[in-house]
Amino acid sequence: MIGTIANTTAVIAGSLLGISVGKRFGDGLKKILMQALGLAVVVIGLKMALSIQDLIPPVACLLLGALTGELLKIERGIELVGQKLNIWFSSGASTFVKGFVTATILYISGPMIIIGCIQDGTVGNPDTLYLKSLLDGVASIALSSTLGIGVAFSAASVLLVQGSMTMLASHISFLQEPPVLAAITSTGGMIILGIGINLLELAFIRVGNLIPALLYAALYPIIFF
């Protein structure tokens, strides 16, 4: 749970900083911060992806996951849910509600939360959630500077959802098997690498459509070993 606590704290701290001085931050400063985080995400993604010697199974899982996610249009579905929630809650509502909903959708969707919760819940490795904390903290500065204190209250959503996922992962025994963890870590690393590439604006990868790769990675060692 330490990764979730760090993430929750980062959202609150970033939001308070954004409310107090965020409007003084120029676009150039915000951009260089995101680029620096993008480089860090790329390095960590590569480290995770190359953590095993045989890369063929993770690559196969990634390809199968990409095919499945594209056919199911997972990323588009996430976007539509976010749009519906924003319209539902924010139409005619206060900036507080819009800030809360916008930030909540951003912080609890995407592959990084799944990978991080599995690592933290199974072996107590919060590194991925620490990285997510940095990203969410910087995002909170930008969001709260325009949408206000509602962004800070999205920390409650992070604590509830992310904490629940971490606790669930800690009670799923097969996720703690070394071959399963290795496959998930390597496959997840390639997905995180995609997030870094997006942050650096080198290309646009629909990383949401790669989420099924984590399921294939979890099942691969069980089926073939």
Side-chain angles (χ1 to χ4, degrees):
M1 283 288 290
I2 189 172
T4 295
I5 293 171
N7 203 161
T8 303
T9 303
V11 170
I12 295 172
S15 299
L16 295 178
L17 183 61
I19 292 167
S20 57
V21 297
K23 292 182 180 179
R24 300 177 189 175
F25 291 176
D27 291 338
L29 178 58
K30 293 176 183 177
K31 184 173 182 178
I32 194 66
L33 284 175
M34 293 308 295
Q35 287 176 334
L37 286 171
L39 288 172
V41 172
V42 166
V43 171
I44 291 173
L46 280 172
K47 181 181 177 182
M48 290 172 59
L50 299 174
S51 61
I52 61 175
Q53 292 184 339
D54 186 5
L55 285 174
I56 293 178
V59 169
C61 292
L62 189 70
L63 292 173
L64 286 172
L67 179 61
T68 304
E70 192 68 26
L71 290 174
L72 295 176
K73 300 186 184 301
I74 291 176
E75 180 146 314
R76 180 56 181 160
I78 294 172
E79 291 173 356
L80 288 174
V81 170
Q83 291 170 6
K84 291 291 184 182
L85 287 174
N86 268 317
I87 293 172
W88 186 18
F89 285 106
S90 303
S91 180
S94 64
T95 305
F96 176 92
V97 176
K98 185 173 178 60
F100 173 78
V101 174
T102 301
T104 293
I105 294 167
L106 177 64
Y107 300 152
I108 66 172
S109 62
M112 191 172 282
I113 186 174
I114 300 173
I115 300 165
C117 288
I118 291 174
Q119 290 179 319
D120 199 10
T122 53
V123 293
N125 179 3
D127 288 352
T128 299
L129 291 184
Y130 284 159
L131 181 60
K132 181 178 178 293
S133 300
L134 290 173
L135 293 171
D136 291 352
V138 173
S140 294
I141 295 174
L143 287 173
S144 62
S145 66
T146 56
L147 297 177
I149 193 65
V151 176
F153 281 83
S154 68
S157 302
V158 172
L159 182 62
L160 177 63
V161 175
Q162 199 164 285
S164 298
M165 291 176 65
T166 301
M167 293 297 293
L168 178 63
S170 69
H171 288 87
I172 301 177
S173 58
F174 81 88
L175 289 178
Q176 301 180 32
E177 296 294 329
V180 175
L181 276 175
I184 291 175
T185 299
S186 183
T187 305
M190 288 187 278
I191 297 175
I192 289 175
L193 178 59
I195 295 172
I197 290 172
N198 285 347
L199 288 172
L200 293 173
E201 299 180 349
L202 298 176
F204 176 69
I205 300 172
R206 293 191 290 272
V207 290
N209 286 346
L210 300 178
I211 290 176
L214 297 172
L215 176 61
Y216 289 118
L219 295 177
Y220 181 87
I222 298 173
I223 297 172
F224 294 99
F225 292 98

